[in-house]
Amino acid sequence: MTRIAIVTGAARGIGAATAKQLASDGCTVAVLDLDAEQCADTVAAIEASGGRALAVGANVADSEAVAEAVALVADELGAPTVLVNNAGILRDNLLFKMTDGDWDAVLNVHLRGAFLMSRAVQAFQVKEGWGRIVNLSSTSALGNRGQANYAAAKAGMQGFTKTLAIELGRYGVTVNAVAPGFIATDMLRATADRMGVGFDDFLAGAAKEIPVARVGQPEDVAAAVSFFCSEAAGFTSGQVLYVAGGPKA
């Protein structure tokens, strides 16, 4: 059976790698991001490898946009039973400099977005009697200077994950979280730019602090998501897997 998957924030980085991985696993993938046109490269890569994908534009923090997007996926591809909540943004600052807007924007995209997407997709999963939800957390959930908003959102994703696992398990739906560590993405490049550090130097410095002596790649995270979305993960639910090159508390 071909599963229909939705990956949010899939235009680039971890989301794009995950969309490609799930397509390789045999899923038909809805590649969702704020602007459908930005999803073109991910869709093209999937189709070039023989897969099927659909670009979908939606603001995951907008309930009407989410409802319309999920309905579009169901109409165009079929009932979505796999959901990866990856969409996220950064608005880093120290607490005394952080604005209301910085806080609200991050919590809205990460937490509200995951809530709205999960609520919409679970209706299809429950009807089908099978589903997989994977939420993207982060090692920042354990605390990270200058990221009070992001850390709170990513810690919230873990509580959200465990609660959905309890609520949806009886319907054949598993819910897990992947918590990446230092992954080489455009988001980190922006962080390096803000710090006035060259990206290569930024990565090299980080690698020295990681037990496996390298930084992560989006594909490392995609591999973990792939397992949680698989048939083999049917007895694994409510878990948080740190993909960080070493142990985390």
Side-chain angles (χ1 to χ4, degrees):
M1 176 185 293
T2 299
R3 304 293 187 185
I4 310 302
I6 300 177
V7 182
T8 70
R12 61 185 65 81
I14 291 172
T18 297
K20 294 171 190 175
Q21 179 62 57
L22 292 183
S24 178
D25 294 342
C27 292
T28 295
V29 184
V31 180
L32 190 150
D33 215 299
L34 196 59
D35 184 348
E37 292 183 1
Q38 294 178 353
C39 301
D41 289 346
T42 305
V43 170
I46 290 172
E47 292 178 340
S49 297
R52 185 182 178 201
L54 173 70
V56 180
N59 176 0
V60 296
D62 182 315
S63 59
E64 290 186 7
V66 165
E68 291 174 1
V70 173
L72 173 65
V73 173
D75 289 343
E76 294 286 329
L77 303 178
T81 55
V82 176
L83 171 64
V84 180
N85 286 309
N86 168 74
I89 60 172
L90 291 176
R91 295 289 186 272
D92 294 353
N93 226 325
L94 294 174
L95 180 62
F96 76 98
K97 294 181 179 179
M98 189 171 288
T99 66
D100 293 0
D102 291 336
W103 178 270
D104 291 344
V106 170
L107 271 291
N108 280 342
V109 173
H110 291 269
L111 275 179
R112 179 179 169 85
F115 159 66
L116 292 175
M117 289 298 304
S118 298
R119 187 178 64 180
V121 170
Q122 62 82 33
F124 294 94
Q125 296 173 324
V126 169
K127 184 177 180 180
E128 295 292 323
W130 190 95
R132 299 286 186 263
I133 297 175
V134 182
N135 297 315
L136 269 292
S137 180
S138 168
T139 55
S140 291
L142 303 173
N144 199 28
R145 178 180 172 84
Q147 289 194 319
N149 49 4
Y150 188 76
K154 290 308 192 182
M157 290 290 263
Q158 297 189 16
F160 180 64
T161 295
K162 293 175 183 293
T163 300
L164 292 196
I166 293 168
E167 292 187 7
L168 298 177
R170 70 187 63 187
Y171 303 108
V173 181
T174 66
V175 189
N176 293 284
V178 174
F182 200 100
I183 310 295
T185 64
D186 287 343
M187 188 176 282
L188 274 185
R189 185 182 296 275
T191 299
D193 289 344
R194 189 177 63 254
M195 295 172 62
V197 179
F199 191 48
D200 289 341
D201 291 338
F202 190 52
L203 298 182
K208 293 178 182 178
E209 305 299 322
I210 299 172
V212 300
R214 71 170 177 88
V215 300
Q217 298 298 321
E219 291 74 18
D220 292 316
V221 182
V225 175
S226 174
F227 166 69
F228 281 141
C229 291
S230 72
E231 296 286 348
F235 200 60
T236 304
S237 195
Q239 303 305 301
V240 180
L241 176 61
Y242 285 91
V243 181
K248 294 292 179 180

